[in-house]
Amino acid sequence: MSALQASTLWTSSSATAAPAASTSRRMTINAALNFPKIHKTNLSLSLPILQTRRFIEEIQFKTSDPAEKNPEDPLVVAKLHALMEAVADRAEMHSNVCEQRNNWNSLLLTSVNGLILAAATMAGIAAVGGGASLHALKLSSTLLYVSATGILAVMNKIQPSQLAEEQRNAARLFRNLHSQIRTTLSTGNAQNDDVSEAMQRVLALDKAYPLPLLGAMLEKFPAAVEPAVWWPKQPRRQRTEIGGNNNDWNRELEEDMREVMKVMKKKDREDYLRLGNKALKLNKILAISGPVLTGLAAIGALLAGPSAAVVGVGAGALAAVVNTLQHGGQVGMVFEMYRSNAGFFKMVQDSIDSNLEEEDLQRRENGQLFEMKVALKLGRSLSELKDLAAKSRSLQNEEIDEFASKLF
C-alpha cells in the first residue's frame, strides 16, 4: 500500500513537473529565437551621412563658381573634343613637315656640295688640258657653278634647318595644348571660357609657326631679334575660393615673383637675345658668302688661263666649306632655338605680370599652384626659387651672377 502511494505520488509529481519543464523549454526557445527588437532610428545613421554630404557640398562650393554647380554643358564638351582632334591633327602635321624640311636640308646640302666639287674638278682639269675637250669642260663647270649658285640662293632664303626647328617647336606646343584640354575635360568643370581660350591659343600658334612657305613664312633675317610669341593675351580668370580669401597669395610671394621676373628679364632673356643676334649675324655673312663664291668660281671657270682656273677651283672649294658650315652646322636652327628660348622667358614673365596686375586675388591663379608651376618651368625646387628671389633682393641694384633657369 505504501509502495502504491509512493508510485502515485511520483507519477503525479512527474505529471506536474512535465508541463513546467516543457513550459520552461518553450520559454527558453522563445527567448533564444525572439531577440529584443532594435528600433531603427535614422538619427544615428543619417547624421554622419548628412555631415559628409554637407562637407562635400562646401568643398564643391569653394572650388567652383555658383554657375559651375550646374551640370556640364554637353555642347561645351563636344567643342573641346573637336578642338582636341584639331590640335592633335596639327601636332602630327607639324611633325611631318618638320621631318620633310629636315630632309630638305640634308639633301640640298649634299646636292649643292656635289655640284660645287664636280665643277671645281672640271675647272682644274680644264686648266691643264687642251684641245676640243677644254671648251666642254669649261662650259660644264660654269653651268654647274651657276646651278649651285641658284640653289644656294633659294636655300639661304628659306633656311630649311630653321624651318624644321620652327615646326619642331610648333609640334611640341600643340601637344602641350592637347594635354591641357584633356586635363580640363577630366576635371568636369569645362566652361565656354575654356573653349574660347583654347581657340585663341590654336590661332596664336598658327600665326607664330605658319606652315606655308610663300607669303606667310617668317622672316629669316630680321633687322633685330625679338622673342618668339606663340600665346594670346592672358585672359581674365574666373573667381575661385580654393585658397581662402587671399587665394594663397601674400606679400612675400608677390615680392618673390617680382624678383624672379627681374632675374629672368635681365639675365636669361637678354642672354638668349644676345646669342640670337650673334647667330643671326653669322648666318647673314654665310648666306651672302656662299652664292658670291660660287658666282666668282663660275666666272673663273669660264675664262681661259691658269690664273682664272685657280680662281674657279679655289672659290668653289671655299663655297663648299661655307655651305657646309652654314647648313651642315644648322646656323639657322641655332638662331631659331635662341629666339624660342627668349620667347619662353617672355611667356613666363607675362604670366607673372598678369597675376600680379590682377587686384582681385580670387581671380588670380592659386598662389601655391602658380609658384610650383614657375619653379618647374625654371627647373628649380620651391626652396631654390625662394633662395633665388632672396639673393636677388639682397643685391639690390647690383646684377646677380646666376641665371633663373637651370634647364637651358
Side-chain angles (χ1 to χ4, degrees):
M1 184 67 182
S2 61
L4 181 60
Q5 290 177 352
S7 176
T8 304
L9 289 173
W10 181 84
T11 302
S12 63
S13 63
S14 297
T16 306
S22 63
T23 302
S24 65
R25 281 196 296 270
R26 285 195 301 269
M27 291 177 63
T28 304
I29 293 172
N30 289 336
L33 294 177
N34 298 328
F35 293 101
K37 292 184 178 180
I38 301 176
H39 297 284
K40 296 181 180 180
T41 60
N42 294 329
L43 183 62
S44 60
L45 296 178
S46 61
L47 281 178
I49 295 174
L50 289 175
Q51 292 174 355
T52 305
R53 186 176 300 168
R54 289 172 183 170
F55 178 70
I56 294 174
E57 289 177 354
E58 289 177 359
I59 293 179
Q60 291 176 346
F61 178 77
K62 289 182 179 180
T63 57
S64 62
D65 288 341
E68 295 179 355
K69 292 182 179 181
N70 298 326
E72 204 171 30
D73 190 352
L75 181 59
V76 172
V77 175
K79 288 180 179 179
L80 287 176
H81 278 289
L83 279 169
M84 282 183 63
E85 293 176 2
V87 168
D89 182 66
R90 275 177 169 79
E92 183 66 22
M93 188 186 308
H94 281 280
S95 296
N96 294 338
V97 173
C98 170
E99 184 178 356
Q100 177 196 53
R101 291 174 178 177
N102 194 38
N103 290 336
W104 283 2
N105 188 64
S106 301
L107 294 174
L108 289 173
L109 172 62
T110 304
S111 301
V112 171
N113 279 349
L115 291 174
I116 292 173
L117 294 177
T121 303
M122 290 181 181
I125 296 174
V128 297
S133 61
L134 175 63
H135 298 289
L137 289 173
K138 285 184 176 181
L139 181 60
S140 299
S141 178
T142 302
L143 289 176
L144 289 176
Y145 274 134
V146 171
S147 300
T149 303
I151 296 174
L152 264 181
V154 175
M155 195 175 178
N156 293 341
K157 175 66 176 177
I158 65 175
Q159 292 291 313
S161 65
Q162 186 173 342
L163 288 173
E165 180 66 15
E166 290 173 6
Q167 308 312 317
R168 193 178 294 115
N169 288 333
R172 177 180 59 85
L173 293 170
F174 271 116
R175 285 193 292 266
N176 184 25
L177 178 57
H178 183 274
S179 299
Q180 292 182 5
I181 297 175
R182 184 173 56 191
T183 302
T184 302
L185 285 170
S186 64
T187 58
N189 293 324
Q191 301 294 319
N192 281 319
D193 291 340
D194 298 320
V195 177
S196 176
E197 182 181 355
M199 280 288 295
Q200 291 177 7
R201 292 192 59 183
V202 169
L203 297 177
L205 279 170
D206 287 340
K207 182 178 179 181
Y209 298 105
L211 286 170
L213 291 180
L214 300 177
M217 185 178 69
L218 297 179
E219 177 62 40
K220 298 300 180 284
F221 300 99
V225 181
E226 295 292 338
V229 178
W230 60 82
W231 61 93
K233 183 180 179 181
Q234 297 288 341
R236 194 179 188 192
R237 301 173 183 85
Q238 298 179 355
R239 291 180 58 86
T240 178
E241 297 182 1
I242 60 175
N245 293 331
N246 60 354
N247 200 13
D248 288 333
W249 281 90
N250 51 52
R251 185 174 296 277
E252 181 183 0
L253 179 58
E254 290 180 353
E255 292 298 326
D256 288 347
M257 290 296 104
R258 287 191 177 94
E259 293 297 329
V260 170
M261 183 173 60
K262 183 171 69 174
V263 174
M264 282 192 300
K265 184 177 180 180
K266 289 186 176 180
K267 294 290 293 185
D268 300 76
R269 197 178 78 175
E270 290 300 322
D271 186 64
Y272 279 106
L273 289 177
R274 177 180 59 83
L275 294 173
N277 272 309
K278 290 184 176 181
L280 178 62
K281 291 178 181 178
L282 176 61
N283 201 26
K284 284 181 178 179
I285 294 173
L286 295 176
I288 295 172
S289 300
V292 168
L293 287 172
T294 53
L296 183 62
I299 296 173
L302 183 62
L303 298 176
S307 58
V310 171
V311 173
V313 174
L318 286 176
V321 172
V322 169
N323 188 38
T324 302
L325 179 62
Q326 181 185 10
H327 299 289
Q330 298 188 350
V331 181
M333 181 273 292
V334 174
F335 164 71
E336 178 61 27
M337 181 184 65
Y338 289 149
R339 193 177 74 94
S340 297
N341 289 346
F344 168 79
F345 293 111
K346 179 175 173 56
M347 181 190 67
V348 179
Q349 179 185 345
D350 288 351
S351 178
I352 296 175
D353 270 336
S354 66
N355 277 278
L356 295 181
E357 290 175 357
E358 179 60 64
E359 297 181 356
D360 188 353
L361 297 180
Q362 302 300 331
R363 291 189 182 275
R364 294 183 182 180
E365 192 171 356
N366 179 264
Q368 294 185 13
L369 179 61
F370 183 73
E371 184 182 20
M372 184 185 70
K373 286 183 177 180
V374 173
L376 289 174
K377 288 178 180 179
L378 299 179
R380 291 177 174 270
S381 64
L382 292 176
S383 59
E384 290 175 340
L385 191 69
K386 292 182 180 296
D387 292 341
L388 175 68
K391 185 176 181 180
S392 175
R393 193 181 299 111
S394 63
L395 293 175
Q396 295 180 356
N397 296 328
E398 298 180 14
E399 185 176 353
I400 190 172
D401 59 351
E402 185 178 359
F403 289 93
S405 175
K406 289 189 173 183
L407 289 179
F408 47 81

